[in-house]
Amino acid sequence: MPDSVLAAIAAATRRARHIVVLTGAGISAESGLSTFRGPRDALWSKHDPMQLATPEAFARDPETVTRWYDWRRINSLAAQPNPGHIALAQLEALTTARGDRFALLTQNVDRLHHRAGSRNVHEIHGSIHVWRCTRTGRDFEPPPEPFMRFPPPSPFAHDDPRAILRPGVVWFGEPLPSDALRTAADAMESCDLFFSIGTSSVVFPAAGFIERAIARGDITVEVNPEPTPISQRVAHTIRAKAGEWLPMLVTLV
Ligand code: OAD
């Protein structure tokens, strides 16, 4: 990538009044967490999402589904934020310090953005660290060890052995949390610079955010080592790993 592209994006970043960043599984790949789609160890290459990531799968086989999400929960607790996560936290700090706005919308459920120091983070696909009682709807944050039983019994409904915990993530066929959708809509309303980082841009409604930014003529930047359906239409396509390119951007902002 010519340095002039990096310099142009850095200049746009310094000028922006409201930066919106959308991240996906690719930003956590350099922390050792698998992406969903991709050639090698991708989760959906090894597992059928319809057997693990739908309300029907949970109703049919809650043991298998909760074991798999608990395995991912423990993996993400063991993972560390990488230079890509940290660069985004730094970009937020630089942007808000000069009085401009910064919003991070993430499809990731691993909480690594929070752990890297990002503040205005919106987990639009929920969190793997918050589980929900199927009877009371109450949220529960499990301690940092694997559950002992699968499906995990609910701590809120001892009188009902059928009350269990489900992961607080959004499954296929479920709506996004309404507060996350509202925040995303608000952010998109006044955004003037949009970064799409580490996402295959195939899952809606998240993939629709960049479509909106492109349609409105915002400056759009995609950071992804592989092409995606939006690569041809964004203003800048950066074929690089997030953990390598984002720190270079931050040094120029
Ligand atoms: P995907 O696995 O679909 O896409 C990850 C993207 O990250 C791919 O396009 C990779 O090329 C790219 N990538 C890999 N390593 C990278 C790196 N070091 N830096 C930058 N990019 C890198 O993940 P998502 O787009 O997040 O939803 O998937 C969206 C949703 O589909 C997920 O939230 C999940 C999944 O099914 C649900 O489970 C509901």
Side-chain angles (χ1 to χ4, degrees):
M1 185 208 20
D3 282 351
S4 59
V5 174
L6 178 61
I9 297 170
T13 305
R14 284 193 299 271
R15 272 196 311 270
R17 306 307 314 270
H18 190 175
I19 299 173
V20 176
V21 179
L22 173 69
T23 62
I27 195 161
S28 295
E30 290 159 84
S31 295
L33 299 178
S34 301
T35 58
F36 293 95
R37 299 167 187 82
R40 289 191 314 279
D41 283 331
L43 294 170
W44 295 157
S45 304
K46 296 197 286 190
H47 307 278
D48 176 359
M50 294 303 123
Q51 304 301 323
L52 289 170
T54 66
E56 293 76 20
F58 178 65
R60 208 167 37 238
D61 187 352
E63 176 178 343
T64 300
V65 170
T66 53
R67 268 189 199 284
W68 188 71
Y69 277 95
D70 202 42
W71 167 74
R72 288 184 51 210
R73 177 176 73 91
I74 296 301
N75 278 350
S76 54
L77 283 170
Q80 297 303 323
N82 68 54
H85 296 108
I86 293 165
L88 287 180
Q90 291 169 334
L91 209 52
E92 176 177 15
L94 289 167
T95 306
T96 54
R98 64 173 194 244
D100 293 317
R101 295 172 67 197
F102 186 101
L104 175 49
L105 312 175
T106 187
Q107 298 165 89
N108 300 344
V109 296
D110 55 33
R111 231 183 235 170
L112 290 178
H113 285 305
H114 296 89
R115 287 172 54 199
S118 284
R119 302 175 80 85
N120 192 21
V121 188
H122 303 279
E123 295 173 303
I124 61 176
H125 288 172
S127 171
I128 208 166
H129 298 291
V130 176
W131 290 52
R132 196 155 62 238
C133 171
T134 54
R135 207 192 78 186
T136 63
R138 282 177 67 185
D139 285 345
F140 173 73
E141 176 137 0
E145 298 94 39
F147 285 112
M148 307 280 278
R149 287 161 58 196
F150 296 96
S154 167
F156 302 121
H158 296 293
D159 55 324
D160 182 356
R162 287 163 309 171
I164 55 176
L165 292 174
R166 61 156 284 179
V169 301
V170 175
W171 281 326
F172 289 106
E174 291 185 320
L176 263 55
S178 52
D179 53 339
L181 270 180
R182 234 186 343 266
T183 308
D186 284 352
M188 293 310 303
E189 199 58 39
S190 56
C191 140
D192 54 2
L193 173 60
F194 188 100
F195 288 90
S196 173
I197 302 173
T199 176
S200 54
S201 292
V202 295
V203 174
F204 284 80
F209 300 155
I210 190 138
E211 299 289 352
R212 212 176 316 166
I214 292 169
R216 214 180 34 198
D218 296 345
I219 302 174
T220 48
V221 182
E222 178 183 58
V223 183
N224 194 319
E226 304 293 332
T228 76
I230 59 157
S231 302
Q232 299 294 321
R233 289 179 297 123
V234 290
H236 302 285
T237 301
I238 310 298
R239 290 260 178 275
K241 292 183 173 182
E244 293 172 3
W245 188 80
L246 288 169
M248 292 196 291
L249 175 67
V250 170
T251 57
L252 294 185
V253 171

